[in-house]
Amino acid sequence: MRSRRLEYSEATRQALVDNAIELFTKRGYAGTSLDEVVKRARVTKGALYHHFNGKQALFEAAFEAVETAMLARLSKIVTAPGDPWETAITGLRAYVRECLEPSYQRIVIHEAPVVMGWERWREAEEHYSFGLLRTAIQMLCDAGEIDEDLPVEITTRLLFGSLSAGASTIASSPDPKKVSREVERAIVRVVEGLRRGDGR
């Protein structure tokens, strides 16, 4: 049986992260104060410091929550039964749509490289997204959709770089929806170039 104390502690942490996501999305890291986070979460400053040692730790928890939610949605698509090629393309399109989500744009793409440092941000991005993309590429190889002798690791890294560049382009654009359509067309065309010439 879970104790009420543990449940309360987890609920408090979740409230802090949820409200931090909302504030970081609207105002960015610099424009968000811990006082406002605890006020919105209806907890004390002491409760915040029980879970996080400061603003950056809270930001990283918000980053992790946004990334985890995105990964769960994409994993459901990529691992769904059905035609491997269509599943992979659907997953790519879904990722581009994720880049239009305000919290993903602001927290993951804009703020995280600055707040966490480029090196840590890149490592975190690889932790959340790279493995899923590699799984999708491996599934296409196994299904004979792309050549089996294609180096999966290198192919994944090249596509991962393209997707990261696309995400930044979308988030930095004055017209993200228009650019997202252009990025989607381009990345799908790139992936189609990997497909075997025998029509499979």
Side-chain angles (χ1 to χ4, degrees):
M1 292 285 292
R2 289 157 57 85
S3 69
R4 287 187 178 181
R5 187 172 184 177
L6 178 59
E7 288 179 352
Y8 176 76
S9 178
E10 290 179 353
T12 298
R13 187 184 190 282
Q14 190 63 51
L16 287 165
V17 172
D18 289 345
N19 283 279
I21 290 172
E22 185 179 341
L23 288 168
F24 287 138
T25 300
K26 288 181 179 177
R27 302 178 187 177
Y29 184 78
T32 298
S33 72
L34 291 181
D35 287 335
E36 190 164 14
V37 174
V38 297
K39 182 179 178 182
R40 286 193 175 216
R42 297 182 179 181
V43 301
T44 64
K45 201 82 167 279
L48 184 146
Y49 283 113
H50 173 74
H51 292 283
F52 306 103
N53 62 16
K55 187 175 174 181
Q56 181 165 339
L58 179 59
F59 176 87
E60 291 184 12
F63 170 89
E64 182 179 345
V66 172
E67 283 277 37
T68 300
M70 181 274 293
L71 186 63
R73 290 190 289 270
L74 293 185
S75 294
K76 191 173 180 181
I77 294 169
V78 171
T79 59
D83 179 79
W85 182 260
E86 292 303 321
T87 298
I89 296 299
T90 300
L92 283 175
R93 295 184 193 279
Y95 174 75
V96 174
R97 287 196 300 272
E98 289 288 337
C99 295
L100 292 172
E101 290 295 322
S103 59
Y104 191 81
Q105 276 192 16
R106 188 69 182 265
I107 293 173
V108 175
I109 301 172
H110 281 307
E111 300 279 346
V114 178
V115 177
M116 299 167 63
W118 194 88
E119 195 97 8
R120 285 194 63 212
W121 169 73
R122 194 67 180 173
E123 287 175 4
E125 279 288 87
E126 289 210 6
H127 172 73
Y128 287 103
S129 305
F130 185 81
L132 181 61
L133 182 58
R134 182 169 50 195
T135 297
I137 297 298
Q138 186 64 62
M139 286 170 62
L140 291 177
C141 283
D142 294 343
E145 293 287 354
I146 58 180
D147 288 334
E148 293 178 5
D149 62 350
L150 195 69
V152 172
E153 186 75 14
I154 292 174
T155 303
T156 304
R157 290 204 174 277
L158 291 173
L159 286 176
F160 183 73
S162 298
L163 288 169
S164 295
S168 296
T169 304
I170 292 167
S172 302
S173 170
D175 190 350
K177 287 185 178 179
K178 176 177 178 290
V179 172
S180 73
R181 291 192 293 271
E182 294 171 348
V183 168
E184 181 179 315
R185 284 201 303 273
I187 197 68
V188 168
R189 185 67 60 85
V190 167
V191 174
E192 285 175 343
L194 301 174
R195 201 172 193 188
R196 286 176 55 163
D198 60 4
R200 291 197 61 186

